[in-house]
Amino acid sequence: MRTSTAPWWRDAVVYQVYVRSFADANGDGLGDLPGITKRLPYLRDLGVDALWITPFYPSPQHDAGYDVSDYLDVDPRFGTLADADALLTRAHQLGLRVVVDLVPNHTSDQHEWFQQALAAGPGSPERDRFLFRKGRGRGRTQPPNNWTSVFGGIAWEKLPEGPDGSTEWYLHLFDRTQPDLNWRNPEVRAMFADVLRFWLDRGVDGFRVDVAHGLFKDKALRDQRSAHPSSQHVESMLETDTKDEPMWDQPEVHDLYREWRRLLDSYDGDRMAVAEAWTQTPARTAAFVRPDELQQAFNFAWLLAKWDAGDLADCIRRTFATLDPVGASPTWVLSNHDVVRHATRYGGGKVGVARARAATLAMLALPGSAYLYQGEELGLESVDVPEELRQDPAWFRTGKVWRDHCRVPMPWSGARPPFGFGGRKQPWLPMPSEWAALTVQAQTGKRGSTLELYRKALKVRRTFATSAPREVEILDRARSVLAFRRGPVTVVLNAGKRPVALPKGKVLVNSGRLADGKLPPDTAVWIG
Ligand code: GLC
């Protein structure tokens, strides 16, 4: 039911918890749900409104939990359903909302449906829940079409031949252990409606919809014209809208989100969903947040913007230009578990961290919801994980370093790894010893630390986030300075090489030291 006040998610700061790497209560080297519950007061004190938890469902963990074998339970590695309930209860007591990850594009190959499909054979209703097809060419030895996997290589896996010599292939847009579901099959739709209800009934406040632009594929699974690498995570959102992508962003997906919206709205408490949709243009992402569809979509254009004041200003302008017509409120995000941490993207080292702090401060003044990724509040950078310890399936399929670097566990306290992450056991990915200076303990109460900057910014944000006007007036068009006004707050970010004069007013928060009333390079400030 709609109320006249804004729903909680509209201006929420949502903190992404990467379950494997947040906190390890049982000391086995892998994060878990009781670990998160124990650390909830930290999130409350940080000043966020909600947490999004990455998948904790039973899974063989070939893609760190994004290969789900049972949507209605908790993987014993991460705890039990009772632990999930305890987490929800405690979070709600502390005034924190909880968003869980929903993975509807594919299951694990260990999901009972896929196992049944393998056993049932070609033409069976069991196989129709996935995308099985015959091969092409002489002897049908070629894959059914020319699609490639986001994780590299062809997007089809060939099954062993049956007794009559016939065989089928199945589609996997990600790893071969992640078969894509057939969303044109009504059983799939019904199953996921049950999954949504199951978690809503347990009290979750929302869902982060994984690969939300996937799900439906071109009906005929036709070849992709002009083969190019699958666009997810690479060169997307570039305003080209010209690539032929029969595997992504098909119109049928929007009807499904209308159905899910009705389901969400049938519960009280403004339950919501946020789409992970790496579409080709921001305008296409806006289609996912039309008034009767999902409430939010990640604004990846912000994350892809360069360290360039003009680029950042353009992104802000374009965000409003694409969302205003559909009446949606924006989101902002700089880091997550799939991309290089923003401190590293902006150059790394002292400069990278200074820029990351400045970009975050600018982001937190914008209207709408902000998504933070665990560890960015400590100024963590992406880490070079030794080859023999890498776990990312994309690394195994392509030999390219992609995501392990941003998934290294959180340093909480102490002088040596594992820095209070769990027991004595070293965590699943090694932690750099230099993080001793970056632990939560080391930064708490320390003037100028990144953690204290986040705490302060989030505290001050609360004084205007919901009440200030939603209009943003961009004040400066120079390539080196991003300046904008939002009601009582003026934001200046110096992406240039020289100090710039500050506007008049009281300094509310500054991401770095100010010198003689000037804003040094790689620094941002809120003036009130
Ligand atoms: C999303 C997730 C990513 C995962 C992929 C397949 O992009 O964020 O981590 O590998 O979907 O589920």
Side-chain angles (χ1 to χ4, degrees), residues 63 66 106 151 174 208 210-211 233 276 337-338 403:
D63 185 20
Y66 284 95
H106 44 264
F151 292 166
F174 294 88
R208 176 258 186 195
D210 189 62
V211 197
H233 305 298
E276 185 218 20
H337 66 293
D338 290 327
R403 304 179 299 180

Side-chain angles (χ1 to χ4, degrees), residues 246-467:
M247 66 290 278
W248 304 122
D249 203 5
Q250 301 296 301
E252 292 90 335
V253 85
H254 295 288
D255 248 349
L256 174 69
Y257 294 144
R258 289 188 187 101
E259 182 185 313
W260 285 5
R261 179 58 181 264
R262 289 193 293 275
L263 202 159
L264 291 166
D265 283 350
S266 71
Y267 282 77
D268 61 2
D270 287 317
R271 313 292 178 104
M272 55 81 77
V274 52
E276 185 218 20
W278 290 88
T279 60
Q280 289 193 42
T281 67
R284 294 198 70 100
T285 305
F288 289 76
V289 290
R290 286 178 285 195
D292 56 349
E293 297 197 35
L294 304 182
Q295 288 88 345
Q296 292 184 336
F298 291 118
N299 187 355
F300 290 126
W302 180 248
L303 176 156
L304 293 168
K306 288 195 286 294
W307 179 252
D308 176 288
D311 233 39
L312 294 167
D314 284 347
C315 175
I316 294 172
R317 253 186 241 113
R318 215 172 31 218
T319 297
F320 289 104
T322 49
L323 292 181
D324 285 350
V326 296
S329 183
T331 67
W332 310 95
V333 60
L334 288 166
S335 280
N336 65 35
H337 66 293
D338 290 327
V339 300
V340 176
R341 283 185 177 275
H342 59 293
T344 306
R345 258 190 352 254
Y346 292 148
K350 258 193 166 152
V351 167
V353 173
R355 291 176 176 173
R357 290 161 56 122
T360 303
L361 192 63
M363 166 174 100
L364 290 174
L366 290 163
S369 167
Y371 281 79
L372 309 179
Y373 177 48
Q374 70 178 47
E376 65 169 81
E377 78 277 24
L378 305 177
L380 297 189
E381 287 198 56
S382 278
V383 170
D384 193 7
V385 175
E387 196 171 322
E388 64 282 8
L389 297 175
R390 289 183 197 146
Q391 313 233 358
D392 183 354
W395 156 256
F396 294 116
R397 286 185 67 89
T398 62
K400 283 197 200 120
V401 176
W402 190 7
R403 304 179 299 180
D404 291 310
H405 54 74
C406 58
R407 298 176 173 183
V408 173
M410 277 281 282
W412 292 95
S413 57
R416 266 177 304 278
F419 295 122
F421 168 66
R424 286 230 190 104
K425 193 152 179 229
Q426 289 303 319
W428 68 286
L429 286 178
M431 301 164 82
S433 50
E434 308 86 79
W435 281 8
L438 297 178
T439 63
V440 170
Q441 188 184 42
Q443 295 196 44
T444 294
K446 188 169 167 205
R447 249 185 105 204
S449 73
T450 303
L451 179 57
E452 291 302 340
L453 169 67
Y454 271 68
R455 286 180 174 153
K456 174 143 194 221
L458 292 172
K459 193 163 168 205
V460 177
R461 176 187 158 95
R462 282 186 188 277
T463 63
F464 67 86
T466 49
S467 56

Side-chain angles (χ1 to χ4, degrees), residues 234-251:
V234 258
E235 18 148 23
S236 49
M237 316 288 291
L238 292 181
E239 293 281 13
T240 53
D241 204 12
T242 53
K243 285 183 253 157
D244 178 44
E245 294 191 325
M247 66 290 278
W248 304 122
D249 203 5
Q250 301 296 301

